[in-house]
Amino acid sequence: MRRDPLQYLADELTSLREQGLYRRLRVLDGEQKAHAAVDGRSVVNLSSNNYLGLTTHPRLRERALEAVRELGVGTGSVRTIAGTMAIHMELERRLAAFKRTEAAVVFQSGFTANAGTVSSILGREDVIVSDELNHASIIDGARLSRATIKVFPHRDVAAARTIVSGLPRTQRTLLITDGVFSMDGDLGPLPDLCDIADEFGCIMMVDDAHASGVFGKNGRGTVDHFGMHGRVDVQVGTLSKAIGALGGYVAGSRALIEFLCHRARPFLFSTSHPPAVAAACLAAIDVLESEPELIDRLWENTRMFKSGLQALGLDTGGSESPITPVIVGDGALAMRLSDRLFEEGVFAQGIAFPTVARDKARVRTIVSATHTRDELRFALDCFARVGRELGIV
Ligand SMILES: *Cc1c(COP(=O)(O)O)cnc(C)c1O
């Protein structure tokens, strides 16, 4: 009989089970909302990146449905052959105007935007200087570029400067950070990194996935938040989180964007967005510009919930955003906390190694503009009760 050559994968899963790190996928029974039905249970949803509730916003829904009726469900081609529709071009013009850059290009996801950009604008002779907690898509893009990768400790500007200043002035260098770090909710030190990039002539790049629709005027991102317009060469944003649909984009100079359209492999070799996705994203930009009160409500909820967790004595790390981790250390304990919260009616994902360091396992909470005060108070009560039960508070 043939030996199963994939047996080692089953062994790996057994080991995950033994460590309490095996995860079953949680399944939503209906819409992605602040209060959702998940695995047959009605829960306060603190796990989604749907910061502004746009996944179910009527204006996005309508525009998407209109696009399906008028334009169909798919594009049948990559952008560079026959898969560019007028609505894709319209979205890119709107994004460039929104981000106040010369141009923008849309990718199928934030992941492919990062990986496709980093891997195409740099090559074997170049250097990438990257925060240790930057997103996996940046790390993958860096590896694909074959450039030398130098990692600096999280948000350590002095260490980044030491690395950059030790490189030959002639060496092309990319300095790259997340705008908001997805597991900790803290911000990349953009002003200081821009100073380093200016001083040493680096390409400056920011991944604003969790800042898009959250930070800056009308949700323009961290470059706007920190007043760094004109000093960041490559801005990546996502259309999958606060924007409520799916996709990623790069905003920057005309030359950067045209180059990506010729060389970024996901743009060249993977089919473009269905028109309904582009339509929903266009409606989302309308909402960002005409309903700024959504972002105000997001921040009111953020302040209330974060201070509530801190008042319980929980370790929330250095979060400055609607993402607030509750750091408990041990991976199995984080999963236990998450499971017990779920039983009590609160969906907050447990996150352990390898997504975060082995001793920094956590339950991650994300509030949205659409959570009610009562829902957030209920969630805080559950954290208090389950926290006491598990000896965390
Ligand atoms: C979510 C995320 C991405 C990927 O965006 P998608 O649109 O979901 O592919 C990239 N970078 C960071 C920092 C993220 O948090």
Side-chain angles (χ1 to χ4, degrees), residues 109-111 114 135 137 178 180 182 207 209-210 238-241 247-248:
S109 68
F111 195 104
N114 269 328
H135 192 259
S137 53
D178 282 7
V180 176
S182 54
D207 172 7
H210 281 281
T238 184
L239 304 166
S240 323
K241 290 174 175 148

Side-chain angles (χ1 to χ4, degrees), residues 52 54 57 59-60 63 94 98 218 239 242-245 278-290:
L52 303 174
L54 298 195
H57 194 290
R59 286 169 78 180
L60 275 72
R63 285 285 281 281
R94 276 299 291 282
F98 183 68
N218 299 95
L239 304 166
I243 305 305
C281 294
L282 278 163
I285 301 172
D286 289 342
V287 170
L288 289 179
E289 288 179 338
S290 63

Side-chain angles (χ1 to χ4, degrees), residues 226-240:
F226 284 117
M228 295 289 115
H229 286 291
R231 297 186 66 193
V232 176
D233 305 290
V234 188
Q235 294 186 58
V236 166
T238 184
L239 304 166
S240 323

Side-chain angles (χ1 to χ4, degrees), residues 49 51 107-114 133-138 177-183 207-211 236-241 245-249 323 364:
N49 304 311
Y51 291 104
F107 286 78
Q108 299 86 352
S109 68
F111 195 104
T112 53
N114 269 328
L133 295 189
N134 277 346
H135 192 259
S137 53
I138 292 173
T177 184
D178 282 7
V180 176
F181 288 87
S182 54
M183 294 301 148
D207 172 7
D208 250 350
H210 281 281
V236 166
T238 184
L239 304 166
S240 323
K241 290 174 175 148
L246 177 70
Y249 59 88
I323 300 171
R364 183 178 66 161

